[in-house]
Amino acid sequence: MLGFITRPPLQLLSLLCTGHRIPRTSVLCTQRRPRAMAVSSSTSWELPLVAVCQVTSTPNKQENFKTCAELVQEAARQGACLAFLPEAFDFIARNPAETLHLSEPLDGDLLGRYSQLARECEIWLSLGGFHERGQDWEQTQKIYNCHVLLDSKGSIVASYRKTHLCDVEIPGQGPMRESNATMPGNVLEPPVSTPAGKIGLAICYDMRFPELSLKLAQAGAEILTYPSAFGSVTGPAHWEVLLRARAIESQCYVIAAAQCGRHHETRASYGHSMVVDPWGTVVACCSEGPGLCLARIDLNFLQQMRKHLPVFQHRRPDLYGNLGQPLS
């Protein structure tokens, strides 16, 4: 089953489900906005449609590509202009050594196959976290967690290397030491114009740092992306509330494609890929299993939000300068 959301004249969200052969069922969550926030000059079918893909990556890169390609092809058949894939869409390895062994450069075979897929489907692709062997691979023997954005011709139009690495110990979830195999990026990429709007690139753990989302919004972002592989403990506690918070404070759409299920014997992910609008409403989401959900992006609604709540005009950067320093 595939579900997608449309926006009728009064912006009251309706659920439309049609049968398709894709992995398991995608579930959409819908909520109503206040009437004052529910006015648009566009009909729902004029709004750009985006697809959010949820997968269970394993160490098998060939099978992972097959699964992702099927979802992208389905997204294109449904009329989506842009499809979002989660962090580690290429693979999730069993250990750092296997991660390094399976990684590739941006001009390698796997990304070439995704470029061809984008061209054939005539769709933009957000490849949410590619294990990239950078130009410093020979010196560092470490990789980058790289969010790659392809246009519908298959060209790389932006690449963002994850700046906040997830080195944490969560009771009940096991330790995560991303820095064992990964180098942090040191540059935020400016928002990129796409058929769905101006997109700001981020990855998973980045969502815990609101400074990043605010900087991207101030730079013109209308959509923030957080492709992720959230764990089974942090997921139920923090996933939705963080995404909704980032949407509300930045007054952007937030699109978060997620890994789900068990990847191998030592790792599992929470799932629940979702789209959140600038009001903080979850307008589309998947459940636990692999699948696809779609939502329409209403930039007119976004502009109305920013007009009615002009928070960026009310910011006081003159007061914030000494805050945000590391705690002693």
Side-chain angles (χ1 to χ4, degrees), residues 135-296:
Q135 294 182 350
D136 56 359
W137 163 253
E138 295 296 333
Q139 292 75 38
T140 66
Q141 292 296 295
K142 288 189 175 183
I143 61 173
Y144 293 95
N145 189 340
C146 187
H147 186 163
V148 181
L149 186 64
L150 302 178
D151 65 17
S152 56
K153 297 180 180 178
S155 300
I156 296 177
V157 294
S159 58
Y160 161 75
R161 291 169 165 177
K162 189 177 182 182
T163 50
H164 301 97
L165 299 186
C166 189
D167 287 359
V168 300
E169 293 189 21
I170 306 296
Q173 188 170 286
M176 172 73 73
R177 290 286 182 271
E178 191 172 12
S179 63
N180 284 347
T182 305
M183 297 281 289
N186 55 17
V187 176
L188 300 183
E189 291 296 316
V192 180
S193 294
T194 77
K198 293 181 180 178
I199 292 183
L201 304 181
I203 303 173
C204 197
Y205 192 56
D206 287 334
M207 76 176 68
R208 294 186 181 274
F209 303 90
E211 300 91 339
L212 188 153
S213 64
L214 293 174
K215 286 294 184 182
L216 289 173
Q218 288 172 318
E222 297 163 321
I223 300 169
L224 302 177
T225 57
Y226 294 103
S228 299
F230 247 58
S232 56
V233 173
T234 54
H238 298 160
W239 173 249
E240 181 177 328
V241 69
L242 281 172
L243 294 174
R244 294 181 69 188
R246 296 297 81 87
I248 293 168
E249 71 196 5
S250 67
Q251 298 184 318
C252 289
Y253 278 89
V254 166
I255 298 178
Q259 292 281 345
C260 66
R262 181 155 295 279
H263 310 288
H264 47 71
E265 56 275 11
T266 61
R267 185 166 176 183
S269 293
Y270 177 61
H272 296 82
S273 301
M274 64 178 60
V275 180
V276 185
D277 74 11
W279 183 251
T281 301
V282 178
V283 295
C285 67
C286 295
S287 57
E288 291 82 2
L292 185 71
C293 66
L294 300 102
R296 296 194 178 273

